[in-house]
Amino acid sequence: MGKVTFMDSSGINIFIAAHRALSEAGGWLRLAAPAENVMRTVSIVGADAVIDCRESLSDAFSG
């Protein structure tokens, strides 16, 4: 996610839908290394309380 420079409600909604679908299937979703402005948006809407966000790709896989 480090190269993503913009996130709006459309992106948030996609991640929420993916999180729900993956959870129902027994999987998980983690955002790896989101850029600061993207993380700010994720935090403002509270999606970080639902979707796990990690500082790096290796952190995301280490769970």
Side-chain angles (χ1 to χ4, degrees):
M1 295 280 311
K3 300 219 185 239
V4 176
T5 59
F6 176 77
M7 176 75 63
D8 64 5
S9 61
S10 297
I12 297 291
N13 286 333
I14 288 169
F15 282 129
I16 295 293
H19 170 73
R20 285 184 185 149
L22 289 164
S23 292
E24 289 173 5
W28 50 267
L29 174 68
R30 291 188 184 121
L31 301 186
E36 184 178 332
N37 55 338
V38 170
M39 191 61 212
R40 187 176 324 114
T41 302
V42 170
S43 296
I44 287 170
V45 300
D48 59 332
V50 177
I51 299 171
D52 193 7
C53 300
R54 301 293 178 102
E55 289 187 20
S56 71
L57 185 59
S58 61
D59 287 344
F61 280 112
S62 66

